[in-house]
Structure formats: structure tokens, C-alpha cells
């Protein structure tokens, strides 16, 4: 498929979708763990996360779950971010993801291998995320370190080269500060 073109749809379609859908779920735990509201491991297949454009949709008022998950594993997931521009979104293909200590009101640790859409390239990332910004998803904290490889700069038409970069990032989903080094032969 042409990496320069992304599927588009109306942002209202994306906002109407659930935040997360899962095709198949395998839950492992013990009876004592369930009583303590802890699940040891969850493996999810067919995961699709649809995040509305920051600041455009209210997060539904829900009662936070007290259940925590020791480890959540998924492969070949999709994360879509709607943009402020009508009918546009960015799609990230998550090749591998492991998330540790998942809970509603606590930050969790993660390791992921992701295909970045703009410019197309591969990113390995690990760090902390959350807790989720219940009133405004853009205020959700995120931090970690990254390694971005094989980024094809010809995506932008006016330049060429293959970018590699590594460094650290921190902030919120609405504003992430990045520091690192970049190499473009």
C-alpha cells in the first residue's frame, strides 16, 4: 500500500467510535487475584484505538475501574488520532506492545514497536503513560525514550534521505517535549 496516502473519513465518524475495540481477549489470573481486583496477564488481538482530535470531544463520565492488569500484550494493533482538520487522521501500526501495571488512576509502563506514518519509519519506544486525563485527553502525561530508524524523508517530496534519531520525551499528549540526536546521511 502507498505509505503517502492515509485512509480518511469524517472526524464525526471517528468520534462516534468507541475509544478501544478488541477482536479477541485472553485473560489470565487467579481466583485470589480476581478477589483482589488484579488480573495477571491480558493478551489482546485485533486491537483498534480511536482517539478523537484533542480538545474536540469530551471524555465520557464513567466510574473508574479498580481492576489492575499486571501485563497487557498486543501485537499488530492500530492507533488512530483524529486531527483538527476535517476528514483526516494519523494511523500508527503497533507491531508489538507490552504494557505493565495497567489501571485507571495510575501511570503504566510500556514498551512498543510502532510504524510511524509521517515520515514513514520504525520507532521503538518505552516509558510511562497516564493516568488518563479524564476531563481532557490532551492533559494525559507521557514520557519515555525512543529510537526512530529508517525514516524516509522523501515522504515530504522536497527533501530526501533516511533519518535516524534517538532521545527522550516528556509532557502531555497535547504538548510533548523531545530532546535527542538525529542523523540524516
Amino acid at each position: 500500500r502507498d505509505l503517502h496516502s492515509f485512509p480518511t473519513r469524517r472526524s464525526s465518524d471517528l468520534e462516534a467510535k468507541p475509544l478501544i475495540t478488541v477482536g479477541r481477549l485472553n485473560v489470565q489470573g487467579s481466583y485470589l487475584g480476581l478477589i483482589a481486583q488484579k488480573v495477571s496477564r491480558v493478551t489482546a488481538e485485533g486491537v483498534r484505538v480511536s482517539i478523537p482530535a484533542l480538545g474536540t470531544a469530551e471524555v465520557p463520565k464513567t466510574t473508574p475501574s479498580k481492576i489492575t492488569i499486571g501485563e497487557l500484550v498486543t501485537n499488530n494493533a492500530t492507533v488512530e488520532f483524529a486531527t483538527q482538520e476535517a476528514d483526516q487522521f494519523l494511523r500508527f501500526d503497533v507491531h508489538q506492545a507490552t504494557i505493565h501495571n495497567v489501571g485507571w488512576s495510575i501511570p503504566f509502563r510500556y514498551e512498543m514497536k510502532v510504524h510511524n506514518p509521517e515520515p514513514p519509519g520504525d520507532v521503538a519506544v518505552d516509558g510511562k503513560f497516564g493516568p488518563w486525563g479524564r476531563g481532557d485527553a490532551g492533559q494525559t502525561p507521557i514520557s519515555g525514550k525512543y529510537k526512530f530508524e529508517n525514516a524516509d524523508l522523501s515522504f515530504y517530496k522536497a527533501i530526501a534521505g533516511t533519518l535516524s534519531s534517538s532521545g527522550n520525551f516528556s509532557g502531555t499528549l497535547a504538548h510533548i517535549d523531545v530532546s535527542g540526536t538525529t542523523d540524516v546521511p
Side-chain angles (χ1 to χ4, degrees):
R1 159 156 103 108
D2 181 8
L3 293 176
H4 296 260
S5 62
F6 296 100
T8 59
R9 66 180 144 190
R10 292 184 312 255
S11 59
S12 60
D13 292 344
L14 187 62
E15 292 170 8
K17 294 178 75 174
L19 178 65
I20 300 172
T21 59
V22 178
R24 184 176 185 167
L25 197 64
N26 181 347
V27 180
Q28 299 171 332
S30 67
Y31 290 117
L32 283 176
L34 291 176
I35 291 169
Q37 298 181 325
K38 294 182 181 181
V39 173
S40 301
R41 180 180 169 101
V42 172
T43 304
E45 298 174 20
V47 174
R48 183 179 209 112
V49 179
S50 299
I51 300 176
L54 299 178
T56 63
E58 286 188 33
V59 177
K61 303 291 185 211
T62 60
T63 303
S65 173
K66 294 180 182 177
I67 295 173
T68 59
I69 301 169
E71 183 177 68
L72 172 62
V73 177
T74 187
N75 296 318
N76 302 317
T78 301
V79 179
E80 296 174 341
F81 287 88
T83 66
Q84 296 291 343
E85 300 171 18
D87 301 332
Q88 298 288 321
F89 69 90
L90 286 177
R91 175 184 167 159
F92 293 83
D93 294 320
V94 180
H95 303 299
Q96 298 174 337
T98 303
I99 305 170
H100 306 275
N101 301 317
V102 179
W104 183 261
S105 61
I106 58 174
F108 55 78
R109 291 182 305 112
Y110 61 89
E111 298 103 30
M112 296 183 185
K113 292 184 179 178
V114 179
H115 180 78
N116 189 71
E118 292 183 16
D122 299 313
V123 181
V125 60
D126 66 84
K128 286 187 176 180
F129 181 86
W132 187 257
R134 291 184 56 196
D136 179 359
Q139 296 306 307
T140 303
I142 187 167
S143 64
K145 61 183 179 177
Y146 72 93
K147 188 171 185 178
F148 190 17
E149 297 181 309
N150 303 316
D152 181 6
L153 296 179
S154 68
F155 172 87
Y156 297 113
K157 310 274 188 248
I159 60 175
T162 302
L163 177 142
S164 295
S165 179
S166 62
N168 300 300
F169 59 92
S170 64
T172 63
L173 286 179
H175 180 87
I176 300 173
D177 294 315
V178 180
S179 64
T181 59
T182 301
D183 181 39
V184 183

